[in-house]
Amino acid sequence: MARRSDHTREEIKAMAIAVGRNLIQENGLPGFSARKVALGIGYTVGTLYNVFENHDDIVLHINAVTLEDLLAYMEKRLGDDDQESHASDLDVLKGLAACYIDYARENYNCWSALFEHNLSPEAPLPVWYGERIDALFGFIEARLKPVVGKDEAEARQTARVLWASIHGICALTLTNKLTLVGVETVEGLTDSLIENYVAGLKSR
Amino acid sequence: MARRSDHTREEIKAMAIAVGRNLIQENGLPGFSARKVALGIGYTVGTLYNVFENHDDIVLHINAVTLEDLLAYMEKRLGDDDQESHASDLDVLKGLAACYIDYARENYNCWSALFEHNLSPEAPLPVWYGERIDALFGFIEARLKPVVGKDEAEARQTARVLWASIHGICALTLTNKLTLVGVETVEGLTDSLIENYVAGLKSR
DNA sequence: ACCTGAACACCGTTCAAGT
DNA sequence: ACCTGAACACCGTTCAAGT
């Protein structure tokens, strides 16, 4: 057993988040438990509850890391370069969608934990968690600039509509809640969404 | 304790589903447990495992009832009457989205259990469960007829894109994963989706 | 001050033994 | 044949007692 002062409070927190994220990665959210985390970091559950509020608090911290990881993944793959490239507006958006779908596929368990875990709707979302979500939308909104005007409010709304729609298609498909037949693919669906939604925007 | 032959296998199944759905309705999926269900129907867990395969199997049966309930809700509210009414194509779709959002709000716990519960992606979805999903899409596709042509494959895909997108907006918003500011509302987002997507479809 | 260890009230799942 | 009851290996959460 670890002796006191072996690690700071922050170190224990970081170790727990890393071990917990690993558990989810390997076996999904149902494979996660505070007791397994405690075992994995060499402390007892009591210590874990000294550092975290409760079960939800740990999962929220793990999901926040996944959100950061997703943003880093998108920044790395989409970078700033096609800002100056010759990619069309449509291709930029399709690339964004494809990137999200790839991340969800490659990190299925961590990605699905993002949505299998919900606080009761009255419970306030911690501000630090909301900031991770906002950071993601900031990135998306920036790439939408060429498509929407520079009307702030409209860019915000358009980014949210497109992103939520892409997520909906991705989520229902990957979780087998939307059976695809014949030539249908996730990318085919998101392409249809983007092509027609953007055509609609531009025709106004 | 209930004596043998008090209820048929099918009766026990139906009782368990009803009690289990009630548990979810009251306290969400985390408030559900096989042991509570057993207590509620007056049998022991052993009997429950005689009738159901496992935990997932019970939840799947409960969710199937929710899918039926959702379809009945939409049929009742949207009926067949605006088929002959003067509602525009856009209004029909907006009504469909509004109906889904209302159901999700009014039945939040049962609705969110639909998506908090996932089988491992390799596990095959039971056919009887797939049928409930298909029945839902059948209803949606029928109302899309005026908007899309009568190309079967295209109607299928369009229905899936629109429905999944509406679901994505609804899901992220109701679970606090998409913060709305100012004048934004769920309905505002789905309206934007529908208006622009349909305008795009018609401009081709 | 920090951490343990045990306790409490739960879980899902299995299966020998009763009727 | 059907159901029970107990067992097994787990959970989240709390907190007195140790160092």
Side-chain angles (χ1 to χ4, degrees), chain B residues 65-109:
Chain B
V65 171
T66 301
L67 289 178
E68 281 169 17
D69 190 51
L70 168 58
L71 178 54
Y73 182 91
M74 296 207 299
E75 278 171 342
K76 186 174 176 188
R77 257 219 359 205
L78 303 178
D80 295 300
D81 24 84
D82 63 19
Q83 211 81 314
E84 345 165 2
S85 84
H86 306 299
S88 73
D89 293 354
L90 280 183
D91 287 342
V92 170
L93 293 182
K94 288 181 184 177
L96 198 68
C99 189
Y100 181 63
I101 294 167
D102 284 343
Y103 184 86
R105 279 205 180 107
E106 292 167 19
N107 305 273
Y108 181 79
N109 284 335

Side-chain angles (χ1 to χ4, degrees), chain A residues 4 33-36 45 49 55:
Chain A
R4 73 189 101 158
S33 84
R35 294 180 107 106
K36 286 186 199 156
V45 254
Y49 274 82
H55 185 261

